Structure formats: structure tokens, C-alpha cells
Amino acid sequence: MAKIIITGMAGFIGFHLAKKLAQLGHTILGIDNLSDYYDVRLKEARLAALKPFSNLTFQRMGLEDSVALNTAFADFQPDYVVNLAAQAGVRYSLINPKAYIDSNLVGFGNILENCRHHHVKHLVYASSSSVYGANTKTPFSTTDNVDHPLSLYAATKKANELMAHTYANLFNIPTTGLRFFTVYGTYGRPDMALFSFTKAILEGKPIDVFNHGKMQRDFTHVDDIVESISRIIPKPATPNTNWDGKSPDPSSSFAPYKIYNIGNNNPVPLMDMIEMLEEALGIKAIKNMLPIQAGDVPTTYADIDALARDFDYRPKTQLKDGITEFVAWYKDYYKQDI
């Protein structure tokens, strides 16, 4: 059994990962600043659901607080670190860029420094499918160049990958970056489409459908994300002995550094997702068709061959099943409001 720090533990993915790892018997220290980017009560409900685990503790702090973070690392002495804390959201980065600089850049720098000084065996961190930006070749591959982000959020995630590579190179810290593709599921984020659409439809309000519905997303169930992470944690990144600077592979390095996509490998048209949601709710949506928003990309589609090869896992949850499960959870959780 290992000692694992999970940052962003009150967040959507962090909550589900902490629950799984605690069930497996690992000792977990969860860190989160409980930001008010979305309803803090949902974050508190996630933490409440984790309270029965005696092998799990929680500390409230922001990653920008280097003194508190240093103390937490020194006291806990983790074997592994999973950094999921970040200011999320493409659209929010257009109106509050400082939040992304503080959390995603300064905060991640503090994580790297603590991994360096406390001899962490493996740093696993969240990147994003957003780094693919203006790329149009699909499926998106980790061997593709990703130098044209379309939002500050995406740029900070690309920067995290570059920062991680530097520490892997200079200090021999194994780092693995995970590019998540449109994660959904129970206890999800209210700013994500499935959650916000469900809320609006049940309240009889219109849903905003951007790019006039001509969008595709590689919807990935949170259980598949968490299963992938749990397999990756105990297998630190290793140097690629075949790496060649004349034709560099962006997904690996001469240093202990690796990048993986975690997606469902199956892009679904947005209008198909809406139809599945309407069926699960038994209500037709009122659709407000709008142009594409700044920072959005029309299609996401993950190449996950490397994940399957190295960890013998491919996400398997079908979107229709995941939506049915989510709707049941939503109706139960918000029953007082329905």
C-alpha cells in the first residue's frame, strides 16, 4: 500500500479517484482550496461521502500557498502525487485569466518543487484534450505537435507538460501527463454540458447549443478515467531509449516523461448526446442554437493506442449508459429542487 497525495480531491475526478484508491487500501492525503468557481456545496458533498474512510485525510489549501504545501509534503512524505487541482474551464479563462496563472502555473510549479525535494516516486498530473487546439487531424495523437492552443486554459495545460519535462530532465522525477477528454459522470461539474443541460431541461429552460450543434465530443466516463489513473500511478514513466532529437516524439523523452490520452476513442455528435439525454429524462429540450464560442474546438477524438498498449486498458462505458446513470444520480441528489 502506498501514500498518495491527491490535489483537487473535492473536485469531480479527484473525488472519484480518492474513493477508489481508499477502497484499495492506500493512505490518501487530499488537498483542495474549495474554490467557488462552481457550487461549493457540491464539493462539500463529495468530501462528506469520503469521510467514512479512515485512511483518507483532507487539508484545505491552494497550491499557490507554497508554505502550507511544503508543510503538507514534509509531514505526509508521499510515495506518489496525483495533481488534479487546476482552474478548469475554457470559457471562464476568457474572463478571469489570473485564476489560471495562479493555480495552473504557480501552483503546478510548487507541486514540482515539492516532488523534487521530497523524492516522490511518480508525479501523475492532469493535462487536457484542449491542448490539441487548432489541430484538425483526427484522432488526436500524443505524437502530434500541440503548439496552437485556442484558450489560456489550454495554454496552461501545455505549459504544465513542458514544466514537467524540465523537472523530469533536470531532477530525474518521473512524470506522466494525462490528456482527459470530456469527462462526465455522477458528482460531475455543473459547468459541463451534460450537467448544465440536465438542469435546464428539468427546469423547462432552453439549452445553449453552440456551433449550431455541429460539434463532436469524445465523452469519457469518470470510472474509465479513474481506472486508467489507478493503473498508471504505480508504473512511473521511464526514458525512451529510442528517442531521437532529430525527429522528436512529443509523447516521450530521453527523460522519465510520458504523455497519454484518456478518452473513449469514439466521438459522438452533440445532437446525439442531447437526444440520449432527452430520452433519459423523458423531456424534449428547448434548444437555443448559437455560433461557436471563442476557445471552443468543433471535434475531440482521442487516439488511445498507447494507453491500451502500456496499461492494457481501453475505456468501455457507453455514453447512453453513462447518461442514464447520471440522470438517476442528478434526480436523487437534487430531489428537493425537482
Side-chain angles (χ1 to χ4, degrees), residues 179-337:
R179 294 174 179 169
F180 299 142
F181 281 70
T182 315
V183 188
Y184 73 99
T186 61
Y187 285 93
R189 272 175 36 202
D191 61 320
M192 298 291 282
L194 179 60
F195 200 117
S196 63
F197 286 1
T198 299
K199 181 176 187 294
I201 293 170
L202 286 170
E203 292 175 354
K205 297 177 180 177
I207 60 173
D208 290 339
V209 182
F210 292 103
N211 203 29
H212 303 284
K214 297 174 183 176
M215 308 273 272
Q216 293 188 95
R217 289 291 180 267
D218 202 344
F219 294 99
T220 311
H221 194 275
V222 67
D223 288 352
D224 290 317
I225 295 285
V226 164
E227 178 61 29
S228 300
I229 298 173
S230 67
R231 293 181 183 221
I232 290 167
I233 290 170
K235 295 183 178 180
T238 57
N240 177 3
T241 56
N242 296 318
W243 194 89
D244 183 359
K246 292 180 181 179
S247 54
D249 168 20
S251 71
S252 66
S253 176
F254 54 87
Y257 167 90
K258 199 75 177 73
I259 299 290
Y260 291 98
N261 287 333
I262 305 183
N264 209 43
N265 191 228
N266 179 33
V268 175
L270 179 60
M271 298 306 294
D272 289 1
M273 183 274 271
I274 293 171
E275 287 182 11
M276 293 179 201
L277 180 57
E278 289 173 329
E279 182 179 345
L281 291 169
I283 305 171
K284 281 289 183 181
I286 305 166
K287 304 175 186 71
N288 184 25
M289 310 302 280
L290 297 169
I292 194 167
Q293 276 208 328
D296 276 354
V297 297
T299 299
T300 64
Y301 179 8
D303 179 337
I304 57 168
D305 287 349
L307 178 74
R309 178 194 68 227
D310 295 348
F311 299 99
D312 191 29
Y313 189 74
R314 286 181 175 273
K316 56 191 176 183
T317 307
Q318 297 298 309
L319 181 58
K320 185 174 182 179
D321 296 335
I323 288 176
T324 299
E325 176 198 51
F326 174 80
V327 167
W329 168 82
Y330 186 97
K331 287 183 174 180
D332 179 66
Y333 183 80
Y334 290 105
K335 52 183 172 288
Q336 70 276 12
D337 298 325

Side-chain angles (χ1 to χ4, degrees), residues 4-7 9 27-31 57-59 72-73 76:
I4 304 172
I5 284 180
I6 301 174
T7 70
M9 193 182 76
T27 302
I28 308 298
L29 170 61
I31 292 172
T57 56
F58 171 71
Q59 292 186 32
F73 268 76
F76 188 69

Side-chain angles (χ1 to χ4, degrees), residues 75-98:
D75 291 346
F76 188 69
Q77 290 296 314
D79 299 306
Y80 304 102
V81 174
V82 182
N83 185 63
L84 300 174
Q87 177 56 61
V90 168
R91 292 164 190 162
Y92 188 61
S93 68
L94 301 176
I95 59 174
N96 190 3
K98 187 178 185 300

